[in-house]
């Protein structure tokens, strides 16, 4: 009987030793090598403002991003919802663009009737404004979606690399103003004013070098936004007010529309470039060696 008890006692000791070893390995994994194999995910907006994801320069799918984010299930679910909303916004944007282009085709096909038929101008204006509204809704959905996705990725990258960060962890956000948009930089949850940002640049000179091209793009963006606003006002005044049309030949309608569209597209491209460069600059700063 004593031999049986001894055997049971030895078995219990082996079991406890094995369990302790497994527990120790698990504890070491979570405390010392937490998320060591998870890569940093980068975000870039393509020509149409849609989010594109990269790991070490290699493009990945949104489903792969969500899989990496499953370490925080709530963030993964939110990413899936926001990504779907962004895709829907893209569809609305192109739908509105199609309506606007249809209005331009309608105007071109009835150009000979413009001087004597205000209905042509009215229909063109309705189609143009309607398409603009639809595109604007889609653009706003995409813009908001990219903002939320950007924040989720910033939090994810911080979570997996927080022990390697050598200085303040900087984030970015975008807000709309009268002349387009402004890029704000945050230190954690705190919005940096110009004085505090300049102080960080003095403390970390590499940040200034990273941000140079991004800041130039932002300055160009503001300049083009001013030109775009003036172009919009001139075009709307020409179409909406007959007395303005009487002082200029009617064949200026299409050139004005083309100029207005071209300036708007150029402004959008520069703004997107500024956002992409700012994201890259902050990521280089946050995770520098």
């Amino acid at each position: 009987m004593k031999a049986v008890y001894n055997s049971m006692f030895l078995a219990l000791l082996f079991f406890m030793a094995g369990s302790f070893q497994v527990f120790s390995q698990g504890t070491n994994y979570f405390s010392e090598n937490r998320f060591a194999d998870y890569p940093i995910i980068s975000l870039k907006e393509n020509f149409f403002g849609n989010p594109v994801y990269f790991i070490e320069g290699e493009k990945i799918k949104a489903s792969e991003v969500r899989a990496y984010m499953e370490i925080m299930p709530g963030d993964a679910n939110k990413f899936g919802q926001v990504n779907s909303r962004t895709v829907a916004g893209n569809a609305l944007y192109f739908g509105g663009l199609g309506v606007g282009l249809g209005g331009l085709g309608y105007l071109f096909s009835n150009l000979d009737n413009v001087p004597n038929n205000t209905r042509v101008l009215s229909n063109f204006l309705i189609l143009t404004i309607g398409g603009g509204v639809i595109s604007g809704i889609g653009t706003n959905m995409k813009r908001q979606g990219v903002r939320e996705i950007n924040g989720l990725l910033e939090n994810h990258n911080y979570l997996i690399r927080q022990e390697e960060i050598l200085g303040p962890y900087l984030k970015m956000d975008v807000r709309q103003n009268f002349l387009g948009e402004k890029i704000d930089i945050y230190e954690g949850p705190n919005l940096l004013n110009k004085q505090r940002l300049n102080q960080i640049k003095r403390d970390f000179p590499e940040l200034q070098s990273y941000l140079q091209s991004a800041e130039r793009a932002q300055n160009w963006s503001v300049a083009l936004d001013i030109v775009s606003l003036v172009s919009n006002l001139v075009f709307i005044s020409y179409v909406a007010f007959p007395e303005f049309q009487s002082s200029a030949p009617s064949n200026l309608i299409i050139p004005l529309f083309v100029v207005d569209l071209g300036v708007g597209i150029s402004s959008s491209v520069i703004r997107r470039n500024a956002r992409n460069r700012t994201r890259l600059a902050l990521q280089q700063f946050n995770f520098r060696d």
Side-chain angles (χ1 to χ4, degrees), residues 112-152:
D112 294 337
N113 298 324
V114 170
N116 302 317
N117 190 347
T118 58
R119 183 177 179 182
V120 173
L121 282 177
S122 298
N123 291 340
F124 167 70
L125 191 60
I126 290 172
L127 289 172
T128 302
I129 294 176
V133 170
I134 296 172
S135 292
I137 293 172
T139 299
N140 187 62
M141 289 174 63
K142 286 199 299 181
R143 182 186 299 121
Q144 184 63 27
V146 171
R147 284 183 62 212
E148 294 184 42
I149 289 171
N150 184 74
L152 289 169

Side-chain angles (χ1 to χ4, degrees), residues 181-209:
E181 67 182 26
K182 186 179 187 306
I183 298 176
D184 293 321
I185 297 179
Y186 290 76
E187 182 181 2
N190 302 316
L191 174 63
L192 297 180
N193 56 30
K194 188 174 182 180
Q195 181 180 2
R196 175 56 182 159
L197 181 58
N198 289 336
Q199 179 62 49
I200 295 177
K201 289 178 181 178
R202 287 191 293 268
D203 295 340
F204 302 93
E206 59 270 33
L207 177 60
Q208 177 60 45
S209 63

Side-chain angles (χ1 to χ4, degrees), residues 12 24 63 97 105 124 133 164 174 192 214 219 227 246-247 283 289:
L12 180 61
S24 298
S63 58
L97 187 62
F124 167 70
V133 170
E164 303 173 14
V174 180
L192 297 180
N219 293 335
V227 175
S246 64
S247 63
Q283 192 167 90
D289 295 328

